[in-house]
């Protein structure tokens, strides 16, 4: 454990939880580990600590590979790694990111690659990456990575991995009955911190809401009015439904954002930024948002569509009541829908009043900044600029997110018109930077 103390200091973490301790103890003697632990329990830190400790001073050699099912999870893992301030190169590879940029980054091989199955497979076929020296393999959310649609690509990646990999670590918040043979984990040690199915987490309250209408839109609207101004994620099963539900809520004058895999990367980043910083209390989404996204303080999960299976139900609900926080799960169903047994066993009915006032409008507006890390802009630069040039007080500035080429900042809504007019000709760090209301 002493090996990781210096890394933990960089993250200002004084103590690991029991799951993380179990992983670090096991990784010293075990070469193959399957980690099962609930969403929000700290799995990312559990696998990054031993990975980063294993990287040695071999230039231009890829030593660690992390595979994750979505670009959001890839970027989240990258952001955690960067907090360790590693002295070696990290590269991310994912769909929606220009392949040419990644190819340039791969000319000088990084020490660690984080990527989605599809984009990693593409680079392997183009001979952009050489995995022959991989020592440490991590597959995060392995059940999702090995689902139908990813299996063929994952098999191809494994075929190009060396047989001499020292450490293999698979993680998930749900278990799989069996793993494909090509993952070579038959003799792996399983570290299982999942609660028993019969145990109901006291922090999580699961409720059903019966809709008179098969469409359920009006019921959803009344439910969101009922929970008022608390952060809520509404899950739908299809992209088209996500946009239809979002548009309906917009027509009802309810502020919301939507998020699904068919959106451009900038649109997705903007939607998540607005939800994280409370410019919108409602996020309408597909199951894409059920895994990997780092969003704090979510109070309500609403299943507008019944989940396709128990695993989906578990992962959706994992967005709330994280790390001992409290939260509610609402399952909306119509009279002609049959609730699955795994929902019916834990659910309690909730009556929603027929007439409910609209929640208050959010007090924050998200501003888009056309500059980021690659322009040498950081959070303190943005705070200083808005305070000095924009005459904002500290409590007028909310959450700030700085990406590679763009940034987002929450500003108190009443201050936005004056601010944009006041800073339009000003420079930040001697650069003319464009500020606008995020779309």
């Amino acid at each position: 454990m002493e090996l990781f103390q210096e890394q933990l200091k960089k993250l200002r973490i004084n103590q690991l939880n029991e799951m993380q301790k179990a992983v670090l103890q096991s990784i010293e003697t075990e070469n193959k580990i399957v980690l099962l632990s609930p969403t929000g329990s700290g799995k990312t830190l559990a696998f990054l600590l031993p990975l980063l400790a294993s990287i040695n001073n071999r230039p231009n050699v890829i030593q660690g590979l992390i595979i994750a099912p979505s670009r959001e999870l890839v970027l989240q893992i990258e952001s955690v790694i960067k907090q360790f301030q590693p002295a070696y190169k990290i590269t991310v590879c994912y769909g929606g990111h220009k392949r040419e940029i990644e190819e340039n980054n791969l000319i000088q091989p990084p020490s660690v690659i984080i990527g989605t199955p599809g984009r990693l497979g593409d680079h392997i076929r183009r001979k952009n990456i050489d995995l022959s020296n991989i020592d440490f393999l991590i597959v995060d959310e392995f059940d999702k990575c090995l689902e139908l649609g990813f299996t063929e690509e994952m098999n191809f990646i494994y075929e190009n991995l060396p047989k001499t990999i020292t450490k293999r670590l698979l993680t998930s918040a749900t278990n799989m009955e069996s793993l494909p043979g090509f993952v070579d984990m038959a003799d792996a040690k399983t570290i299982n911190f999942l609660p028993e199915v019969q145990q109901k987490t006291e922090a999580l309250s699961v409720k059903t809401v019966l809709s008179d209408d098969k469409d359920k839109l009006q019921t959803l609207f009344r439910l969101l009015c009922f929970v008022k101004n608390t952060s809520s994620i509404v899950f739908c099963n299809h992209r088209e439904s996500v946009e239809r539900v979002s548009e309906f809520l917009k027509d009802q004058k309810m502020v919301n954002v939507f998020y699904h895999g068919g959106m451009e990367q900038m649109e997705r980043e903007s939607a998540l930024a607005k939800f994280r910083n409370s410019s919108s209390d409602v996020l309408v989404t597909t199951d894409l948002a059920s895994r990997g996204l780092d969003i704090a303080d979510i109070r309500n999960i609403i299943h507008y569509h019944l989940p396709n299976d128990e695993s989906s139900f578990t992962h959706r609900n994992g967005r709330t009541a994280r790390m001992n926080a409290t939260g509610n799960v609402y399952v909306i169903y119509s009279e002609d829908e049959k609730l699955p047994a795994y929902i019916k066993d834990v659910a309690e009915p909730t009556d929603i009043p027929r007439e409910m006032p609209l929640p208050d409008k959010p007090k924050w507006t998200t501003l888009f900044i056309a500059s980021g890390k690659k322009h040498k802009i950081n959070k303190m630069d943005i705070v200083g600029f808005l305070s000095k040039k924009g005459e904002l007080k500290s409590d007028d500035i909310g959450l700030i997110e700085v990406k590679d080429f763009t940034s987002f900042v929450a500003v108190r809504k009443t201050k936005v018109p004056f601010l944009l007019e006041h800073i339009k000709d000003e420079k930040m760090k001697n650069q003319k930077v464009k500020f606008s209301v995020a779309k």
Side-chain angles (χ1 to χ4, degrees):
M1 292 292 181
E2 294 180 3
L3 177 65
F4 309 109
Q5 291 307 310
E6 184 176 345
Q7 295 171 318
L8 291 174
K9 284 181 181 178
K10 293 179 181 178
L11 298 186
R12 297 181 180 178
I13 294 175
N14 297 321
Q15 188 172 357
L16 298 172
N17 62 34
E18 293 305 311
M19 177 272 292
Q20 292 162 341
K21 291 177 182 177
V23 173
L24 297 187
Q25 289 170 353
S26 297
I27 205 73
E28 294 179 4
T29 56
E30 303 288 339
N31 292 331
K32 299 178 182 179
I33 293 176
V34 175
L35 170 61
L36 305 174
S37 190
T39 301
S41 58
K43 293 189 294 294
T44 303
L45 185 61
F47 66 68
L48 283 182
L49 283 170
L51 168 66
L52 297 179
S54 74
I55 302 299
N56 54 42
N57 204 16
R58 285 183 289 165
N60 300 326
V61 172
I62 302 173
Q63 301 175 51
L65 174 64
I66 305 175
I67 306 174
S70 69
R71 51 187 165 183
E72 281 73 23
L73 189 49
V74 165
L75 292 170
Q76 181 179 315
I77 295 169
E78 180 198 29
S79 70
V80 177
I81 288 184
K82 286 183 175 179
Q83 293 179 52
F84 287 104
Q85 302 170 5
Y88 40 80
K89 184 178 178 181
I90 311 291
T91 292
V92 293
C93 303
Y94 55 88
H97 193 218
K98 286 187 177 180
R99 194 181 65 244
E100 294 80 4
I101 294 176
E102 294 177 357
E103 288 175 339
N104 289 334
N105 289 336
L106 292 167
I107 292 174
Q108 181 181 0
S111 296
V112 177
I113 286 185
I114 315 165
T116 54
R119 184 51 67 90
L120 287 172
D122 187 31
H123 283 303
I124 292 172
R125 292 183 180 90
R126 295 172 183 273
K127 302 188 184 306
N128 293 329
I129 55 179
D130 175 10
L131 301 179
S132 61
N133 292 293
I134 294 290
D135 295 321
F136 208 124
L137 171 68
I138 295 165
V139 183
D140 197 15
E141 302 285 10
F142 69 81
D143 55 324
K144 191 71 174 178
C145 285
L146 296 171
E147 281 182 355
L148 186 64
F150 277 140
T151 306
E152 184 177 344
E153 205 67 86
M154 289 291 292
N155 194 358
F156 173 73
I157 294 171
Y158 268 83
E159 288 175 351
N160 285 272
L161 294 174
K163 304 299 182 185
T164 55
I165 293 178
T166 306
K167 301 291 183 182
R168 299 171 185 251
L169 201 161
L170 276 59
T171 83
S172 182
T174 57
N175 199 3
M176 292 183 71
E177 292 185 7
S178 61
L179 292 170
F182 67 80
V183 302
D184 189 24
M185 296 291 281
D187 54 345
K189 176 178 180 177
T190 298
I191 301 176
N192 191 346
F193 274 77
L194 296 176
E196 294 294 329
V197 176
Q198 294 79 9
Q199 292 178 344
K200 178 183 174 183
T201 305
E202 293 183 3
L204 191 63
S205 175
V206 182
K207 305 170 184 178
T208 55
V209 179
L210 179 61
S211 173
D212 297 335
D213 189 352
K214 182 179 179 180
D215 200 340
K216 301 192 284 192
L217 284 171
Q218 286 292 345
T219 304
L220 171 64
F221 173 67
R222 289 191 291 114
L223 176 57
L224 289 170
C225 292
F226 177 72
V227 300
K228 298 181 180 178
N229 298 94
T230 53
S231 58
S232 305
I233 299 183
V234 179
F235 280 104
C236 302
N237 289 345
H238 311 287
R239 297 174 181 178
E240 297 79 8
S241 301
V242 165
E243 296 194 20
R244 176 172 172 265
V245 168
S246 177
E247 189 63 29
F248 172 80
L249 295 176
K250 183 179 177 181
D251 290 342
Q252 307 304 308
K253 310 302 181 187
M254 179 171 284
V255 176
N256 75 97
V257 292
F258 69 87
Y259 172 84
H260 60 65
M263 300 165 65
E264 294 294 328
Q265 181 68 13
M266 183 61 69
E267 295 175 319
R268 290 163 71 162
E269 289 181 355
S270 180
L272 291 179
K274 291 176 184 178
F275 186 60
R276 285 193 186 102
N277 65 30
S278 300
S279 293
S280 171
D281 291 321
V282 179
L283 173 68
V284 186
T285 182
T286 60
D287 280 350
L288 179 65
S290 67
R291 296 169 183 255
L293 296 184
D294 184 16
I295 305 174
D297 302 323
I298 298 169
R299 293 299 304 277
N300 309 297
I301 296 298
I302 300 174
H303 300 268
Y304 178 77
H305 286 147
L306 298 179
N308 291 320
D309 51 45
E310 187 170 4
S311 175
S312 297
F313 186 62
T314 299
H315 279 287
R316 288 179 177 185
N317 296 346
R319 296 297 89 205
T320 191
R322 299 178 60 156
M323 300 302 290
N324 302 319
T326 58
N328 300 298
V329 171
Y330 295 94
V331 180
I332 304 177
Y333 71 105
S334 59
E335 291 181 345
D336 60 348
E337 287 182 307
K338 184 178 179 181
L339 286 176
Y342 57 81
I343 296 179
K344 190 173 183 179
D345 288 346
V346 298
E348 55 185 67
T350 298
D351 292 325
I352 307 297
R354 286 287 174 185
E355 299 294 331
M356 292 292 299
L358 262 175
D360 295 333
K361 292 287 192 291
K363 295 180 173 61
W364 298 96
T365 293
T366 300
L367 297 185
F368 169 81
I369 307 171
S371 289
K373 297 174 185 175
K374 299 295 185 181
H375 305 98
K376 309 299 183 184
I377 298 295
N378 59 40
K379 292 182 181 180
M380 293 308 298
D381 295 327
I382 295 172
V383 171
F385 178 78
L386 294 178
S387 300
K388 294 177 182 177
K389 305 294 186 180
E391 300 181 14
L392 295 185
K393 297 179 181 178
S394 59
D395 59 0
D396 293 326
I397 304 171
L399 185 68
I400 299 173
E401 296 184 32
V402 181
K403 311 293 184 181
D404 281 346
F405 297 98
T406 59
S407 303
F408 299 93
V409 56
V411 172
R412 196 169 297 279
K413 184 176 294 185
T414 55
K415 302 290 184 177
V416 170
F418 171 84
L419 173 70
L420 292 179
E421 179 64 26
H422 211 61
I423 64 175
K424 62 182 181 180
D425 297 319
E426 299 289 348
K427 292 183 178 181
M428 180 164 55
K429 294 189 77 172
N430 296 318
Q431 305 175 49
K432 188 67 182 293
V433 178
K434 180 182 177 183
F435 281 71
S436 60
V437 175
K439 296 180 179 179

